Amino acid sequence: MINKIKVLVVDDSAFMRKSLSMLIESDPAIEVIATAVDGLDALNKVKNLRPDIVTLDIEMPKMDGLTALKHIMKQSPLPVLMVSSLTKEGAEETLKALELGAVDFIPKASSFVSVAIADIKVDLIKKIKLFAREKKVVRQIHNFSKSLSNPISKSSVTKSKSLPPGKYNALAMGISTGGPISLQKIIPGLSSNLKVPVFVVQHMPPKFTASLAQRLNSLSSLEVKEAENNEVVRKGVVYIAKGGFHMKVKKVGVNIVIETSEMPKEQLHKPSVDVMFESVEKVYGKNILSVIMTGMGKDGLEGVKKIKAVGGHCIAQDENTCVVYGMPRAIVENGLADTVAPLEEIPAIINKAV
């Protein structure tokens, strides 16, 4: 008999503790071994019960989620999923939690009804199963969070295979789970002399992408912003796709313009890497350098196929530095990667080529 995944649910709301527990235990492979009402309660139960994974609220009395997370990562490191409110403040706190070592987050509406909370069930169970027994995840999060205070040098030497230089008019990046902290290593490492636009799809809900863009902008020599509908694309600017909307580009007269849209609706992710890549390929053709980084699933695979088919190039992040080796794995296994590189080498490869 396979041992069930042991979960500790931490939230100051009795309704949330009950609701999350019911959702989690709807899967026979998972068991909620306890709940905790605040950060102090959580620390005691983590120490005594040794769960496989913790779901952790941020706003709680006595000890908040961020403080509890710091202690957990120092005393008893294990995968922690933040349960984060869909507000500007909730997004900023979530980014901080990811820097402190949380593996990922589950977004929740600020006011709950039974229908709204049930909407997170599939995502919650999928992430619990993905992270609960993956020891590598904790190690990677530790390495990433520790290294945030030491940005990658723009002139760092790379050991990975270089790419043909000087032939790119756009840089397009796709990333998902583990992305926010990885992007804080990549974007600040890009040269201030970069003369092409950078289009980034990070799988995140609304409000979270705006906070991510602001955070990256404060760390980078390049301008970083959340993409806006109908804005003219400028060279040397990093555009983060807005959560809940696809980011596309189109030619309008002499300009290239960004379009944000909810179409196509059938895409699993919104924003979608595939949708962005395919749009960029139509405008820039072979003069594209694409980058696929850490994340679940295979979003970006079809887009990279189209970019490669017209003569563009692709960098895939290597397995050892990915939080989740899903999206890059799909690129590598399909023979689409021109170079496979660790996280810390990607900025240097880009700076040398673009």
Side-chain angles (χ1 to χ4, degrees):
M1 180 179 177
I2 299 175
N3 293 331
K4 290 187 176 184
I5 295 169
K6 300 182 294 183
V7 181
L8 171 66
V9 172
V10 185
D11 202 292
D12 63 328
S13 162
F15 170 75
M16 278 299 301
R17 293 194 300 274
K18 180 67 173 177
S19 299
L20 287 171
S21 296
M22 289 177 64
L23 290 181
I24 291 167
E25 292 197 320
S26 66
D27 190 295
I30 312 173
E31 175 187 10
V32 175
I33 57 169
T35 61
V37 298
D38 56 46
L40 284 174
D41 190 17
L43 291 181
N44 288 329
K45 287 176 177 172
V46 165
K47 182 179 179 181
N48 295 324
L49 300 176
R50 301 290 182 180
D52 296 309
I53 191 167
V54 173
T55 69
L56 182 61
D57 190 20
I58 292 178
E59 295 183 11
M60 296 180 292
K62 294 185 180 179
M63 181 185 286
D64 63 64
L66 292 180
T67 304
L69 178 62
K70 291 178 187 177
H71 288 295
I72 290 172
M73 286 300 143
K74 185 176 181 180
Q75 299 169 10
S76 310
L78 79 166
V80 176
L81 276 173
M82 306 307 293
V83 181
S84 306
S85 60
L86 280 166
T87 64
K88 182 176 184 293
E89 293 76 18
E92 291 170 351
E93 290 172 329
T94 300
L95 289 177
K96 182 62 178 175
L98 294 173
E99 290 180 22
L100 292 172
V103 293
D104 207 344
F105 66 97
I106 299 291
K108 66 175 180 179
S110 55
S111 59
F112 267 110
V113 294
S114 58
V115 174
I117 194 169
D119 288 342
I120 70 175
K121 175 180 174 180
V122 173
D123 197 30
L124 178 63
I125 290 174
K126 179 173 68 174
K127 288 180 177 179
I128 286 173
K129 286 184 168 181
L130 176 70
F131 294 122
R133 290 180 175 145
E134 182 52 81
K135 302 302 181 187
K136 173 190 158 188
V137 166
V138 176
R139 184 175 69 252
Q140 294 290 30
I141 292 293
H142 271 301
N143 292 340
F144 288 166
S145 58
K146 285 179 182 178
S147 67
L148 281 173
S149 58
N150 300 302
I152 298 171
S153 169
K154 296 179 178 62
S155 60
S156 60
V157 177
T158 173
K159 299 176 183 177
S160 300
K161 180 183 175 183
S162 59
L163 298 171
K167 60 174 291 181
Y168 308 103
N169 294 331
L171 175 62
M173 306 177 70
I175 191 165
S176 187
T177 310
I181 51 176
S182 299
L183 286 172
Q184 288 185 49
K185 296 293 289 184
I186 296 298
I187 303 302
L190 297 180
S191 170
S192 58
N193 296 319
L194 200 72
K195 302 302 183 185
V196 303
V198 183
F199 304 102
V200 180
V201 165
Q202 160 72 64
H203 294 155
M204 290 183 109
K207 296 189 174 67
F208 287 79
T209 47
S211 293
L212 176 63
Q214 290 166 10
R215 174 68 173 150
L216 292 171
N217 188 58
S218 72
L219 298 171
S220 306
S221 56
L222 296 172
E223 179 184 353
V224 184
K225 68 186 302 293
E226 187 179 59
E228 298 176 62
N229 193 40
N230 292 325
E231 72 173 301
V232 175
V233 171
R234 292 174 286 141
K235 295 177 181 179
V237 177
V238 181
Y239 298 96
I240 307 293
K242 185 176 183 178
F245 292 85
H246 297 302
M247 177 170 65
K248 307 175 188 177
V249 293
K250 60 184 178 182
K251 199 78 181 290
V252 179
V254 297
N255 295 319
I256 296 171
V257 175
I258 288 176
E259 176 187 356
T260 61
S261 170
E262 295 187 20
M263 302 299 292
K265 288 185 175 291
E266 69 272 10
Q267 288 289 330
L268 176 63
H269 301 287
K270 194 185 294 181
S272 160
V273 181
D274 278 327
V275 170
M276 185 268 281
F277 277 13
E278 290 172 14
S279 169
V280 170
E281 182 272 323
K282 288 177 182 177
V283 171
Y284 293 97
K286 66 180 180 179
N287 302 116
I288 303 167
L289 177 56
S290 58
V291 184
I292 293 289
M293 297 172 62
T294 177
M296 284 189 272
K298 58 180 182 179
D299 189 20
L301 174 60
E302 297 306 315
V304 170
K305 284 180 180 178
K306 293 187 177 181
I307 290 171
K308 292 283 292 182
V310 297
H313 291 79
C314 182
I315 301 169
Q317 185 178 351
D318 75 351
E319 182 174 7
N320 287 337
T321 60
C322 282
V323 174
V324 180
Y325 189 55
M327 288 164 54
R329 181 199 296 274
I331 301 303
V332 173
E333 291 185 348
N334 280 274
L336 299 171
D338 293 283
T339 186
V340 179
L343 178 71
E344 62 271 14
E345 293 186 11
I346 292 175
I349 295 172
I350 293 171
N351 292 334
K352 186 176 179 181
V354 177

